[in-house]
Amino acid sequence: MSDSSRDTAEGAGWGAAQRGEYERLMPAEVEKISWLNPKTLWAARNGVLASWFGDPTGRTRSRWVAQRAAADADAPTGKVIRRDDPDRFSFMVIGDTGEGDAPQYAVVPGFLKVSQDTRFSVIASDVIYPVGSADDYGTKFFRPYQDYRAPIYAIPGNHDWYEDLGAFMRVFCADTPPLPPEPRPRPLTRAWLRHLLWHRPNPRDGQHLDTARQLRSDPVQQAAQPGPYWAIDAGPVRIIGIDTGLLGTIDAEQGAWLREVSQGPRPKILVTGSPLYVDGEHHPCRIDGGGTVDDIVRDPEHHYVAAIGGDIHNYQRYPVDVEGRTIQYVVAGGGGAFMHATHTIPQVSVANVTERDFRCYPLRGDSLAFYSRLYGRRLRLRRFFTLTEAEAAAVIAERLGIPLTRTPGEQARVTFRTRLVASLLGAGTRTSRFRLPVRKIYTQLFSPSSATYSPPFFKCFLRLDVTPDAVRLRCYAATGNLAQELDPPVEDEVTIPLT
């Protein structure tokens, strides 16, 4: 087994490593998405409009579910897909994949190697960036995963909703026909303003979709979902995928369905577009009409053992004790999109989970070193900003009061400069004083502009091995370097009892 980032700097992808062969998989022309481009931001405006003028996602989702049922009399009853998997099987989870650039394709070689004997995969949130357009599926879904020889299921993220989910329903839900137009809202109302400004798909979008489908046309690759939310009975477990729409909530109809499919003694794993624990905070996910998703997950009668969420583009794990049993809350959004910083996560103390229990990838020191190099280059202040991985790890350890995760290859002294750079780049501290503004700044400004096109990329994906007694969850790294392509390192591993 190759070294991981917890073992050596080389295992993290630093140093003069040989670049991987993922570029051979990429199309000749690659769209490089910039989240600081006004054109991109304007196309992705529907989330802001929903927060200002009211969120139509719940109503639109209900219409899609009805449209899917009307179009296919053989759709699974109760939105439960009943597979014939044995009691021992494996599946993959990969989140926030679809930027279609080097970081996404760098994941593919390792993903294909690790997934060779798996029964299916699940994409957890944001299949297609920036706005879920149908003609983007060719280079951002069908091409990268054309050699994965099993079905792929998906739950949509907020970006898949930026064009009202039409392309997602065509690709994953048996080519569900478009929704008929709704009556125009009454003038000079909030709904009318939202309708006036709403981004809609180009009428010509989707002309190349049939051609793109041929890349994953083998019968063993096919999967037809009953809608944007679903349950899969596979071997001894039930995997439940929920659709959290534009604003990270679920509607009352989906909430009632979730409560129903959560009944019974069968062990359950939730897959959601909005993680319930992330960045040292609890986000229980509101259900319209009352209650939260996490209320359902925590209920001992429902027998949840894990909740895996996308949306945030890194890996985090919180083993939370709930009345004497442990539920693993996982963030798994590192499948291709720009890397969200982990160095901004403050010292973890939430739901009795401490730094000793918490895991993340990339390590906070590697995240800080990544951002210091990025902004040193962009601001043309490399001598000032750039921190070695050893310097970054040392200053993170000092700020958080935690030991170094790996033994540094060089001794690093924490100086005024390293402390200043860490502060300027929002490194976490032992207190949560600056947590909210720092996270907001990094989410909305620094992280979205952090796409880079040379390794290390710090991407990741999950493999889950199921037996009648336990689920073994492993997080694998993809750096873009050849060594990690040939032998993807395991960054985290946990065995989750089912009994």
Side-chain angles (χ1 to χ4, degrees):
M1 182 181 296
S2 62
D3 284 347
S4 74
S5 69
R6 304 182 75 85
D7 300 316
T8 64
E10 292 74 21
W14 299 116
Q18 182 179 349
R19 184 175 295 203
E21 299 182 350
Y22 61 89
E23 291 177 323
R24 299 181 183 181
L25 307 174
M26 297 170 63
E29 296 185 7
V30 176
E31 175 192 13
K32 294 183 178 180
I33 296 174
S34 171
W35 290 104
L36 299 181
N37 184 330
K39 183 178 179 181
T40 303
L41 294 175
W42 178 243
R45 64 189 178 272
N46 285 357
V48 175
L49 295 176
S51 65
W52 287 354
F53 302 119
D55 185 3
T57 301
R59 185 181 70 252
T60 305
R61 184 187 294 117
S62 295
R63 296 177 68 213
W64 276 123
V65 170
Q67 184 88 330
R68 170 73 173 96
D72 184 1
D74 297 325
T77 304
K79 304 177 187 64
V80 179
I81 303 164
R82 292 177 170 84
R83 295 178 47 86
D84 61 354
D85 300 303
D87 284 346
R88 297 174 183 271
F89 76 98
S90 301
F91 69 101
M92 307 293 289
V93 176
I94 184 169
D96 297 81
T97 53
E99 284 199 349
D101 51 14
Q104 178 179 7
Y105 279 86
V107 178
V108 174
F111 175 85
L112 294 176
K113 186 179 185 68
V114 171
S115 67
Q116 286 181 3
D117 60 341
T118 57
R119 304 279 293 194
F120 59 89
S121 288
V122 176
I123 296 180
S125 181
D126 291 338
V127 182
I128 301 295
Y129 293 93
V131 294
S133 299
D135 278 338
D136 282 342
Y137 271 85
T139 57
K140 299 176 182 181
F141 174 71
F142 289 108
R143 184 185 183 105
Y145 310 120
Q146 61 183 311
D147 293 326
Y148 178 64
R149 306 289 296 167
I152 298 176
Y153 303 95
I155 56 167
N158 57 312
H159 289 269
D160 301 304
W161 270 100
Y162 286 161
E163 291 192 349
D164 292 330
L165 209 65
F168 181 97
M169 295 298 293
R170 287 183 64 181
V171 171
F172 292 103
C173 302
D175 227 350
T176 303
L179 294 175
E182 287 192 296
R184 287 179 176 270
R186 186 164 49 88
L188 303 179
T189 62
R190 294 175 70 210
W192 176 79
L193 285 170
R194 184 184 65 219
H195 178 84
L196 190 67
L197 297 171
W198 200 252
H199 171 77
R200 295 173 180 82
N202 188 312
R204 296 185 298 275
D205 188 45
Q207 293 181 353
H208 307 292
L209 189 55
D210 288 341
T211 301
R213 289 182 197 270
Q214 298 306 309
L215 295 173
R216 280 187 52 84
S217 58
D218 194 291
V220 301
Q221 297 175 309
Q222 304 312 301
Q225 299 176 191
Y229 58 92
W230 40 259
I232 297 174
D233 283 346
V237 299
R238 171 169 284 187
I239 304 155
I240 298 174
I242 61 172
D243 169 18
T244 56
L246 283 170
L247 301 181
T249 64
I250 69 173
D251 60 280
E253 179 182 315
Q254 185 180 181
W257 170 85
L258 178 60
R259 291 184 178 97
E260 181 180 347
V261 297
S262 297
Q263 300 293 326
R266 192 171 195 153
K268 297 172 185 72
I269 298 170
L270 181 74
V271 182
T272 170
S274 299
L276 303 181
Y277 282 87
V278 60
D279 299 331
E281 300 174 353
H282 184 210
H283 296 267
C285 188
R286 179 176 58 84
I287 300 174
D288 292 349
T292 69
V293 169
D294 202 30
D295 290 340
I296 297 172
V297 170
R298 287 170 171 263
D299 189 329
E301 297 297 317
H302 294 159
H303 299 276
Y304 278 90
V305 298
I308 302 171
D311 189 50
I312 301 301
H313 307 164
N314 53 47
Y315 173 82
Q316 302 173 43
R317 181 170 62 84
Y318 302 81
V320 177
D321 180 82
V322 181
E323 299 180 4
R325 60 197 177 93
T326 300
I327 300 176
Q328 299 289 341
Y329 290 88
V330 176
V331 178
F338 64 84
M339 186 263 282
H340 274 129
T342 58
H343 67 265
T344 60
I345 302 172
Q347 188 183 73
V348 171
S349 179
V350 60
N352 292 320
V353 177
T354 66
E355 283 291 332
R356 185 179 64 180
D357 313 305
F358 171 70
R359 294 290 182 272
C360 70
Y361 176 79
L363 297 176
R364 291 177 175 105
D366 289 330
S367 171
L368 179 59
F370 173 95
Y371 274 92
S372 75
R373 296 177 189 207
L374 176 68
Y375 282 95
R377 183 172 66 250
R378 289 188 175 174
L379 298 175
R380 299 184 180 180
L381 294 170
R382 290 179 178 173
R383 287 177 61 87
F384 170 72
F385 257 103
T386 301
L387 303 180
T388 67
E389 55 271 21
E391 288 174 328
V395 73
I396 287 290
E398 179 186 84
R399 288 173 70 91
L400 295 179
I402 60 175
L404 292 171
T405 302
R406 66 174 179 249
T407 302
E410 60 179 89
Q411 292 299 316
R413 189 166 58 92
V414 178
T415 64
F416 173 79
R417 182 184 72 89
T418 58
R419 292 187 182 104
L420 180 58
V421 170
S423 295
L424 291 172
L425 294 178
T429 62
R430 302 188 197 194
T431 67
S432 58
R433 256 187 321 171
F434 304 112
R435 182 185 310 181
L436 291 178
V438 164
R439 186 64 205 171
K440 189 172 183 180
I441 290 169
Y442 266 82
T443 300
Q444 297 183 3
L445 179 61
F446 285 102
S447 281
S449 61
S450 70
T452 57
Y453 300 97
S454 59
F457 294 124
F458 298 110
K459 301 290 97 184
C460 58
F461 54 90
L462 307 183
R463 175 180 168 123
L464 290 88
D465 301 306
V466 180
T467 71
D469 300 317
V471 174
R472 181 170 65 162
L473 182 153
R474 284 175 286 177
C475 172
Y476 287 87
T479 67
N481 290 330
L482 184 62
Q484 286 83 34
E485 274 190 5
L486 297 175
D487 189 8
V490 176
E491 290 291 337
D492 186 35
E493 179 174 346
V494 61
T495 298
I496 307 169
L498 295 184
T499 56

